[in-house]
Amino acid sequence: MRDDTVGNGSGALPDPAASAVVDARGIVTGWSPGAERLLGYSCEDVVGRPATRLLDADAHIDGGFTEALDRRSGAVLLRHRDGRRLEAWLRTYPSLDGEGHAQRLVVATEPDEAEQGTATTEEAFAQGHVPVMVYDSELRALRASAGAVRELALTEDQLRGRRVTEIMPPHICHSVEDGMRHVFETGKPEQFHVRGRARPEARERVWSITVSPLKTPAGQVRRVQLTALDVTEQHLARERLALLNDVSTQVGSTLDVMQTAQEMADVAVGRLADFVTIDLLDSLFRGVEPSPSATGTVALRRAGQQSVLPGVPEAVIRPGDVDYYPESAPPVRCMATGRSSRHRAQDRAIRDWGEADPERSRVVGTFGVHSIMVVPLRARGITLGVAVFTRHQRQEPFQDDDLLLAQEIAARAAVAVDNARRYTLERGTALALQRSLLPRRFATQNAVEVAHRYRPARTRAGLGGDWFDVIPLSGARVALVVGDVVGHGLRASATMGRLRTAVRTLADVDLPTDELLVHLDDLVGHLATEEDPTPDPEIESGPDVPTELIATCLYVLYDPVAHRCTAATAGHPPPAVVTPDGTAYFVDVPPGPPLGVGGLPFETVEWELPEGSLLALYTDGLVEGPEHDLDNGLSQLLRRLEESAHSPEAVCDDLIRALLPPQPQDDVALLVARTRILDAGQVATWDLPSDPAAVAGARVEVEARLAAWRLSEVAFTAELVISELVTNAIRYGQPPIQLRLIRDGALICEVSDSNSTAPHLRRARTYDEGGRGLLLVAQFADRWGTRHHAQGKTIWAEIGC
């Protein structure tokens, strides 16, 4: 059967004959290569248009095109695309399309004057290039077209009388025979697709099979006609589009580099390749931009791998392991040049790689790897790594179309990997900043036993501004602080660090709780005025960026001597308390405005706490989330606290486990403290007259008390410090004057009077008789300071013991 046109300038027809499919409306729905060669029209020019356009309007031979279709055969004049006329003999064969609609197969042949009136269907089967076969009720072949003979590599005589199961592979046979049986039963046409090889040596193709009933005049299905159209290219195109769509939707579902690479391998295996590996430059996992290797070898970390075989037996390393590729290996050259490559197992490049890496060479031989593609992963001008696609189960080697598809997959996946890498790097930077701003360990104090937890949000919004702190204060007291800056990202973390520093500074000067929040509110207002109101898109963007600087804070002060708490809040959830008998409740702290609102007062609440009580301070991320609202979360918190009678560490673990999901939507800061008290044996108090002679008596009382406490080794220092403090209070203060000693981790000496004027250090001149008292206190004490209260002030000093 020739494919060339027999042309002599007279309009002779090509060999073999041309054919077309015309529906009941006279619209061309099928167009063969022979028809294209005959008339010069491509498939796109004709399909979907009326068949009458192909007629010569000025000539007529034995009836027109429509008449020829109606009487099954006839001579017509057709018009070539270049305008010349062609005389043709048309034969039509009725059939049904996949939806049961009537259509005609039209075959054009060179007219034979001796046989024009006696043409039969023999010519259609002898010359038709489309595979067409007719089967009887026992599913045995009766006729086969030239196209079927060509595809099956059997003559029509060899096909006649044989069933499909005797000709085709099993999986194709069952689909085809099931379809024919269904047509015999229902009388309705069937259409389906099969994929496979028509014969062992042929390449795998996809066929659109149409099984149409051939009925007697009485309507009984006597035979069936099977037509097969090769739709391999259309099917592969749809598969490629579906694969790329899956890459877009399934790769990059998380912002984890390893997970993203694994998703790429999972999508490609079985659909494009039998074994896929994704290797990324090891430096990327350390946050370092890639640079040329000094040794020639390249360190690549296995980020993802997948195989059609269970357990991925082809892999020589595990995900997360680092492998060193020689400079001559195709993956290294691929990354260096940025160009993909396609190889056979026998190529010199693959053999050289195998010689340098015997383990991979063994895998190639063991599993029969015969085709390999190496594709770089590049995004935003950065080479991230390389993807290697191999085939050993599928017989067809990779083609150029497969390489283009792999490049498109790699390009889309590389963007997802780079997004994950950049997010990981930025998140790590923000997390490192936040951890550096949060306390790593607390200063020694004996007022409370504390435990804390911090859980960053696992969302794309970034880290928040939650913080906590434990601040030792004078008089063995301690301040417990929890706060939250509204928003996420580096801005929130940096603001959190500034506020935590400010709270520590204000706490060190022993401000009352409400006054401390007033100063903190002023500070937030000043910070807001210093910021550019237009957010920097390079730093933060999106709906989570706050337009104003707002923060909340809860400040709780606990005195173990008086075993009392004082608290004030700036828009923050109240503290929870669990008494030693297991009763849990929220402290009714007067609500104050969030920091940054300004102009509104803060109020305090004071209450007594028995020894061994639990205090729980937290941010709203612990009690509010997608799983429950704020009220429900607070109720759950109280229930968990009532059931927790363990150490603060155990309470923290229980609350985090019970109230938080695996992926919290907001940062969480939690601080749990168990209170202690200093009993009367650890505190000594004396009321002193405003008389210089009282200093000597105070020294005697202190010496006796220190001896009872077995602190004689610090007696001299303590007497000196107390003498100066008492003298200073008598000389410059106002009665009543009180001296108090507290034995805690250090010896605390306090002298109080009703004068609110704060003392200060000054440099005494050589011949001055005074002015050196506080200088001596500062030299001999470990710490000293002044705190103010409603009754005046207290000057205190701590002496190590």
Side-chain angles (χ1 to χ4, degrees), residues 453-457 466 619-622 656 660 664 666-670:
R453 296 291 184 273
Y454 175 77
R455 292 293 182 269
D466 295 17
T619 55
D620 57 0
L622 181 69
I656 292 295
L660 287 186
D666 194 8
D667 287 21
V668 174
L670 173 63

Side-chain angles (χ1 to χ4, degrees), residues 713-729:
E713 64 274 11
V714 298
F716 175 77
T717 303
E719 291 177 17
L720 176 63
V721 168
I722 290 172
S723 296
E724 296 299 333
L725 294 181
V726 171
T727 300
N728 193 73

Side-chain angles (χ1 to χ4, degrees), residues 342-590:
R342 180 167 57 89
H343 306 273
R344 295 292 187 97
Q346 298 79 18
D347 292 352
R348 180 60 182 271
I350 301 301
R351 294 202 310 269
D352 291 345
W353 187 14
E355 292 175 0
D357 192 340
E359 183 64 17
R360 282 189 171 83
S361 179
R362 182 192 63 80
V363 169
V364 170
T366 301
F367 294 94
V369 174
H370 60 83
S371 192
I372 301 170
M373 292 189 300
V374 183
V375 183
L377 296 175
R378 289 178 56 82
R380 300 180 180 93
I382 300 176
T383 299
L384 306 174
V386 63
V388 179
F389 303 80
T390 62
R391 281 183 179 175
H392 53 74
Q393 297 291 304
R394 192 181 304 188
Q395 296 181 11
E396 295 81 7
F398 290 118
Q399 304 297 328
D400 288 339
D401 287 345
D402 296 320
L403 186 61
L404 292 175
L405 177 60
Q407 289 173 339
E408 184 65 26
I409 293 173
R412 298 189 183 191
V415 173
V417 170
D418 191 53
N419 288 340
R421 177 189 69 86
R422 296 176 66 185
Y423 170 78
T424 301
L425 180 60
E426 292 173 4
R427 177 179 171 80
T429 301
L431 189 58
L433 170 63
Q434 191 169 47
R435 285 175 175 169
S436 69
L437 297 175
L438 290 173
R440 297 188 178 183
R441 61 176 180 270
F442 297 126
T444 302
Q445 52 79 34
N446 295 318
V448 291
E449 176 191 359
V450 295
H452 59 88
R453 296 291 184 273
Y454 175 77
R455 292 293 182 269
R458 299 291 182 180
T459 65
R460 299 187 182 188
L463 299 174
D466 295 17
W467 92 91
F468 58 90
D469 211 343
V470 177
I471 308 172
L473 300 176
S474 63
R477 299 168 306 148
V478 65
L480 307 175
V481 190
V482 169
D484 183 6
V485 178
V486 176
H488 294 85
L490 292 176
R491 176 178 183 259
S493 296
T495 303
M496 173 271 290
R498 300 169 80 175
L499 293 183
R500 176 174 174 261
T501 301
V503 170
R504 274 193 161 268
T505 302
L506 296 172
D508 282 342
V509 298
D510 271 320
L511 290 177
T513 54
D514 54 344
E515 188 175 343
L516 182 144
L517 292 183
V518 170
H519 285 281
L520 198 61
D521 182 52
D522 292 339
L523 173 63
V524 173
H526 292 318
L527 293 177
T529 59
E530 295 173 0
E531 290 191 347
D532 186 351
T534 304
D536 187 350
E538 294 294 328
I539 299 176
E540 296 184 274
S541 61
D544 291 321
V545 179
T547 57
E548 295 180 313
L549 182 58
I550 301 294
T552 66
C553 181
L554 172 64
Y555 187 87
V556 178
L557 190 151
Y558 175 65
D559 186 347
V561 177
H563 41 89
R564 296 185 67 81
C565 273
T566 305
T569 178
H572 202 85
V577 173
V578 184
T579 58
D581 62 2
T583 303
Y585 63 93
F586 289 112
V587 180
D588 187 15
V589 184

Side-chain angles (χ1 to χ4, degrees), residues 42-318:
S42 68
C43 183
E44 291 78 7
D45 296 331
V46 177
V47 172
R49 301 178 184 274
T52 54
R53 292 188 56 208
L54 307 175
L55 293 174
D56 183 80
D58 301 326
H60 179 76
I61 297 180
D62 195 19
F65 188 82
T66 305
E67 290 81 356
L69 294 181
D70 290 339
R71 64 174 180 266
R72 302 292 181 89
S73 65
V76 296
L77 279 179
L78 304 178
R79 182 181 295 276
H80 194 276
R81 187 172 185 175
D82 59 12
R84 54 192 173 89
R85 297 172 178 174
L86 295 175
E87 183 181 348
W89 185 265
L90 298 186
R91 293 176 177 82
T92 64
Y93 304 93
S95 66
L96 297 175
D97 62 13
E99 298 180 0
H101 300 144
Q103 63 180 14
R104 292 183 177 92
L105 173 65
V106 183
V107 180
T109 59
E110 185 174 358
D112 185 346
E113 295 179 359
E115 297 180 3
Q116 282 182 358
T118 60
T120 67
T121 58
E122 297 295 331
E123 297 178 3
F125 280 93
Q127 301 178 36
H129 80 287
V130 177
V132 178
M133 297 188 69
V134 177
Y135 288 86
D136 61 17
S137 59
E138 294 182 357
L139 307 185
R140 297 190 178 277
L142 298 176
R143 299 303 311 271
S145 70
V149 169
R150 182 182 66 252
E151 292 297 338
L152 298 174
L154 296 172
T155 66
E156 187 175 10
D157 289 340
Q158 291 173 322
L159 291 172
R160 188 175 291 114
R162 301 173 70 175
R163 297 182 57 156
V164 179
T165 53
E166 302 174 278
I167 305 171
M168 306 289 289
H171 72 280
I172 296 179
C173 300
H174 297 317
S175 299
V176 172
E177 289 202 343
D178 289 345
M180 289 193 293
R181 289 191 186 95
H182 198 259
V183 171
F184 273 112
E185 293 172 359
T186 65
K188 297 180 179 179
E190 289 279 324
Q191 188 174 24
F192 49 89
H193 289 77
V194 296
R195 182 171 187 164
R197 294 176 174 82
R199 56 186 187 276
E201 67 276 11
R203 69 182 181 91
E204 185 179 70
R205 285 189 281 180
V206 179
W207 300 91
S208 175
I209 305 296
T210 301
V211 182
S212 304
L214 300 179
K215 301 180 180 180
T216 65
Q220 180 183 3
V221 180
R222 185 177 180 185
R223 297 180 177 88
V224 293
Q225 173 185 287
L226 185 148
T227 304
L229 295 178
D230 185 358
V231 294
T232 304
E233 293 304 321
Q234 298 93 315
H235 180 80
L236 292 178
R238 286 194 298 268
E239 280 192 337
R240 294 186 180 104
L241 289 175
L243 178 54
L244 291 177
N245 180 69
D246 288 345
V247 170
S248 300
T249 57
Q250 298 178 23
V251 178
S253 61
T254 66
L255 287 174
D256 180 83
V257 173
M258 298 288 287
Q259 180 65 27
T260 301
Q262 185 61 47
E263 289 170 348
M264 174 185 173
D266 292 341
V267 170
V269 160
R271 303 170 70 176
L272 177 61
D274 299 326
F275 175 52
V276 177
T277 62
I278 312 295
D279 294 325
L280 301 178
L281 288 166
D282 183 51
S283 58
L284 296 177
F285 292 88
R286 303 192 303 270
V288 180
E289 293 294 336
S291 59
S293 173
T295 62
T297 61
V298 176
L300 296 175
R301 186 180 297 274
R302 179 62 50 84
Q305 60 186 23
Q306 191 54 274
S307 170
V308 294
L309 301 177
V312 196
E314 308 97 321
V316 297
I317 60 174
R318 296 173 301 178

Side-chain angles (χ1 to χ4, degrees), residues 731-732 760-776:
R731 180 174 297 178
Y732 303 106
H760 60 277
L761 288 172
R762 66 184 181 88
R763 184 180 297 277
R765 292 189 294 269
T766 303
Y767 298 104
D768 285 350
E769 295 183 359
R772 298 178 179 84
L774 290 181
L775 181 61
L776 290 174

